[in-house]
Amino acid sequence: MSNPIRAHIRSNVIGYVALFFAISGTAMALPGTNTVNSGDIINGEVRNPDIHTDAVASGKIENGQVRQVDLRDTAVDSAKVEDQSLTGIDLGANSVGLSEINQNAFFAGDISNDGSPAGPLQITTGGVDSGDIGNSAVHADELGSITTRSTVSATIPAGGNGSAIASCLAGEQILSGGNDGFFDVFVVASRQNGNGWAVFVRNTSGVNRTITVHAYCLA
């Protein structure tokens, strides 16, 4: 090969290489040109090893495109969750047990008053005892209303004995009781009787007497 031909090839080698890649459809960045762009890359050919560490930042990810399948197990921990951002719908069934509830975390004001499913229905029957209730957590206005149930005894003859019982209604709970009477009617006993209050007396007067018994019931 003559020297002029060698000189021609040497001076045009870059052009020949570029022509080769253009014909073959392969992208190539020429020295000093920095010309590889999106159009030079075959779709789907950029792999994980081709991406530099920390190259993909928040601005490179389209909003709403990160799915659950994209998250590594244990990738989202407490530090990644905004405080007080989780609600009931975010919790799985039976996901919160006694071990997840801090002792004395609930107070009377944390339980709904309307009996909604978000309140009492979440507590197992018999699941709350005195050890679960904080000091001064329950106040009088949270216990319900107190109703008085009264009854009058039959006639108690002079010098005789008698009694009367006042009972609470179904759904009520007896708290205490008492009676009205006379100074000459001696109370022998006054005590709870089932879900009511009973009073036993002796009439020490010379005439017939009656007594009125009261039961104080929590509705």
Side-chain angles (χ1 to χ4, degrees), residues 25-188:
T26 303
M28 171 186 174
L30 299 180
T33 62
N34 194 23
T35 57
V36 176
N37 54 39
S38 177
D40 299 319
I41 302 173
I42 299 175
N43 291 342
E45 290 305 312
V46 176
R47 310 296 182 183
N48 187 61
D50 303 319
I51 302 174
H52 192 277
T53 304
D54 299 327
V56 179
S58 176
K60 302 293 195 303
I61 302 174
E62 185 177 351
N63 292 341
Q65 291 307 304
V66 176
R67 311 295 183 184
Q68 183 178 15
V69 69
D70 302 315
L71 301 177
R72 178 184 299 174
D73 292 343
T74 70
V76 179
D77 56 16
S78 177
K80 305 293 193 305
V81 180
E82 184 178 357
D83 291 345
Q84 300 182 3
S85 64
L86 296 182
T87 62
I89 195 171
D90 301 313
L91 302 177
N94 303 318
S95 63
V96 178
L98 291 178
S99 61
E100 281 79 42
I101 301 176
N102 188 38
Q103 186 176 6
N104 298 324
F106 285 103
F107 298 93
D110 300 319
I111 301 175
S112 62
N113 294 323
D114 60 1
S116 64
L121 293 184
Q122 303 302 315
I123 300 176
T124 303
T125 301
V128 177
D129 56 30
S130 59
D132 301 315
I133 302 175
N135 294 333
S136 303
V138 179
H139 305 280
D141 58 352
E142 292 154 340
L143 292 176
S145 59
I146 298 176
T147 302
T148 301
R149 305 296 179 189
S150 303
T151 188
V152 178
S153 71
T155 298
I156 304 171
N161 301 322
S163 65
I165 299 175
S167 299
C168 298
L169 301 181
E172 298 176 343
Q173 175 61 49
I174 182 67
L175 296 178
S176 65
N179 69 281
D180 299 327
F182 300 87
F183 289 111
D184 50 11
V185 175
F186 177 71
V187 176
V188 177

